[in-house]
Amino acid sequence: QDQVWVPTLGVHYNINAYSRINLERSGNFRFPSADEMAWTQSGQHLKPQKGADYQLLYHFKRDHWEFQSQLYALYLQNEIIFLPFKQNVFFGYNTNLSQTRRIGLSGWLKYDASTWQWMLGVDAVNPRVAAGSERGKVIPFVSMWHVNGAVQYNVNLNWCVGLDVNLNGSRYAIGDMQNSAVKLPVQSQTNLSLEYKTKHWIVAGTINNVFDQRYSSYAVKESDGVVYYYPAPGFNGYVSLRYILPSTIM
């Protein structure tokens, strides 16, 4: 078979001049990549990943305020996942899960004025294996909730300062299909930014992980049950300098 149909069907309804509702069903399909096919157990052939995504979205925008909420359900068959395995030459292999599902609710609220801009977003999802021996287990390394917030203050036409905060819920390590190991704890990170711009130049500085939080950005449970943690960068920052060509300025 060298052809695949991935249909998308949606309905868009404007409630009034400020709000709308979207209802959509879209297909999901992807072939395994060359790297994924190379890293399999005993040369096992990977099946294409396919599924369907259902979304009910509400959007509102008026004056300085904007709000969006979304109820969604993603059903996948043959989801491609990496499983660590010490005895493998690649320290693991890719395989297919029979069925998975992610049912969630997300939303964000924004305020945009000439001086202040801020945003608050929340995402909650129930990611589960839906068939096979791991049925009902949480999909490894998928957080059940995420919260992020950001604020920016424009001091004047040249200077602006920003702050963003990210919170991630606890997660099981990659490879922990049985959900038997201790979860990675809740992670938080706060970042600061400062920008100065003129007609042609933009100088920006960013400080990441302001409070030097110690957490792991990645964790792997090996076939022997041992969990390996990979620490994320602590307090760090960078400075960038950009020049805008005159011909690109509108």
Side-chain angles (χ1 to χ4, degrees), residues 7 25 60 64 86 174 176 182 217 247:
R25 188 271 187 197
F60 173 86
H64 301 298
K86 277 188 173 181
I174 291 289
D176 189 8
V182 177
S217 59
S247 60

Side-chain angles (χ1 to χ4, degrees), residues 64-228:
H64 301 298
W65 294 94
E66 187 173 4
F67 168 76
Q68 180 172 295
S69 62
Q70 181 180 9
L71 178 66
Y72 62 91
L74 174 62
Y75 298 92
L76 293 176
Q77 294 181 358
N78 305 322
E79 180 175 352
I80 300 170
I81 189 172
F82 180 79
L83 295 180
F85 189 65
K86 277 188 173 181
Q87 282 69 40
N88 186 277
V89 66
F90 302 113
F91 300 101
Y93 58 90
N94 295 294
T95 188
N96 292 111
L97 297 179
S98 54
Q99 295 180 29
T100 59
R101 68 173 183 266
R102 294 167 174 82
I103 301 176
L105 177 66
S106 64
W108 49 260
L109 177 66
K110 293 181 181 179
Y111 177 81
D112 189 349
S114 58
T115 304
W116 285 95
Q117 296 89 37
W118 62 262
M119 183 275 293
L120 176 65
V122 179
D123 183 21
V125 62
N126 186 12
R128 299 280 177 174
V129 179
S133 59
E134 290 88 17
R135 181 176 181 178
K137 300 296 184 181
V138 177
I139 301 173
F141 217 67
V142 179
S143 173
M144 286 190 168
W145 61 269
H146 174 75
V147 178
N148 64 297
V151 59
Q152 178 176 300
Y153 176 63
N154 300 314
V155 181
N156 51 43
L157 294 176
N158 302 108
W159 290 94
C160 71
V161 60
L163 170 73
D164 67 87
V165 179
N166 293 278
L167 295 172
N168 279 308
S170 58
R171 296 172 287 178
Y172 289 102
I174 291 289
D176 189 8
M177 296 300 302
Q178 297 297 325
N179 299 169
S180 58
V182 177
K183 287 184 176 181
L184 279 77
V186 175
Q187 301 171 356
S188 65
Q189 182 173 329
T190 303
N191 309 309
L192 279 172
S193 62
L194 180 65
E195 182 180 276
Y196 175 79
K197 59 183 178 181
T198 63
K199 186 176 181 180
H200 296 289
W201 292 95
I202 299 177
V203 182
T206 300
I207 300 176
N208 298 313
N209 200 356
V210 173
F211 300 107
D212 198 25
Q213 294 291 316
R214 304 294 174 149
Y215 65 94
S216 298
S217 59
Y218 192 70
V220 173
K221 181 186 176 185
E222 291 284 1
S223 54
D224 57 5
V226 178
V227 179
Y228 295 87

Side-chain angles (χ1 to χ4, degrees), residues 29-32 36-37 40 44-50 77-80 95-98:
F29 185 93
R30 80 172 181 92
F31 288 105
E36 289 170 335
M37 288 294 293
T40 61
Q44 179 184 359
H45 180 72
L46 289 178
K47 300 176 183 178
Q49 177 179 298
K50 58 184 178 180
Q77 294 181 358
N78 305 322
E79 180 175 352
I80 300 170
T95 188
N96 292 111
L97 297 179
S98 54

